[in-house]
Amino acid sequence: MINQNFISIYDDILSKEHCDIIINEFENKSERHHKGLVGESEVKPETKTSTDISYSVNEKNDSVSIILSALELGINEYINNYPDVNNIGSWVIDSIFNVQKYKPNEGYFLPHCECASFRGSKRVLAWMIYLNTVNDNGGTRFPTYDLTINARMGRLVIWPAYWTHQHHGIVSETETKYIATGWHIFKET
């Protein structure tokens, strides 16, 4: 585990077998594929190009079960390292998360944060799990901290959703990247 600037990296949170199950399910559910969205649920290929499946945390399937189990371990560790995150209003996992596929030359090209508009204002933490290793770029860059995180299979990254943690994808020209990603949000009262 690596902690730096409230960005935590947990390697091997998922096994190769679990990552393969999620990727295979993604590839076998093409009827659920949709173009990647940004901002106010807009398709903007100049900002982000990906193929996504949106999952409800209440769905009963292998991908949801595997991801939620791994995420629970990571979030508990994150809270242990940054206990002040519990000194704000109550928060929970968002009811929707995404599995995303970035083909060669696709990515989230522009720096952004996860709490950049009224719609995203309830987001507290962002999380991402790399489902495969990408050796030709493919990672994530946090420019403010001069930090690049390589795309490594089974790696979970958790960070604050705010403007202080702008980030963007690093495009691979030759390899496909798969991730699972979502948020923890303020609990509605």
Side-chain angles (χ1 to χ4, degrees), residues 73-93:
L73 294 172
I75 285 295
N76 287 336
E77 187 64 29
Y78 193 89
I79 293 167
N80 285 336
N81 288 312
Y82 300 112
D84 287 343
V85 74
N86 280 331
N87 290 339
I88 58 176
S90 297
W91 49 275
V92 296
I93 189 167

Side-chain angles (χ1 to χ4, degrees), residues 32-185:
R32 291 187 64 179
H33 289 178
H34 61 86
K35 291 182 179 183
L37 305 173
V38 299
E40 301 297 317
S41 296
E42 300 169 285
V43 175
K44 289 187 171 181
E46 68 281 3
T47 302
K48 176 187 176 190
T49 303
S50 66
T51 303
D52 298 5
I53 292 179
S54 298
Y55 286 98
S56 165
V57 297
N58 297 316
E59 285 184 51
K60 303 295 182 208
N61 65 44
D62 290 338
S63 292
V64 172
S65 176
I66 291 167
I67 290 166
L68 293 181
S69 293
L71 188 57
E72 183 177 4
L73 294 172
I75 285 295
N76 287 336
E77 187 64 29
Y78 193 89
I79 293 167
N80 285 336
N81 288 312
Y82 300 112
D84 287 343
V85 74
N86 280 331
N87 290 339
I88 58 176
S90 297
W91 49 275
V92 296
I93 189 167
D94 197 346
S95 61
I96 301 293
F97 69 88
N98 297 306
V99 173
Q100 302 174 335
K101 177 182 182 179
Y102 294 93
K103 297 176 196 168
N105 295 307
E106 294 184 344
Y108 204 129
F109 309 112
L110 301 179
H112 63 283
C113 67
E114 303 301 322
C115 183
S117 67
F118 181 76
R119 181 181 181 142
S121 64
K122 61 186 175 180
R123 295 175 180 166
V124 175
L125 295 172
W127 59 268
M128 174 176 51
I129 302 172
Y130 296 106
L131 301 173
N132 67 313
T133 297
V134 180
N135 295 304
D136 177 24
N137 293 312
T140 304
R141 177 108 177 111
F142 289 83
T144 301
Y145 303 108
D146 193 26
L147 176 65
T148 299
I149 300 172
N150 296 325
R152 179 177 164 190
M153 180 181 52
R155 173 176 278 173
L156 168 63
V157 184
I158 302 172
W159 68 93
Y162 305 105
W163 63 271
T164 54
H165 287 77
Q166 296 212 18
H167 56 285
H168 63 88
I170 301 172
V171 174
S172 174
E173 294 181 1
T174 62
E175 295 181 66
T176 296
K177 174 174 72 174
Y178 293 89
I179 65 169
T181 188
W183 309 273
H184 282 74
I185 61 172

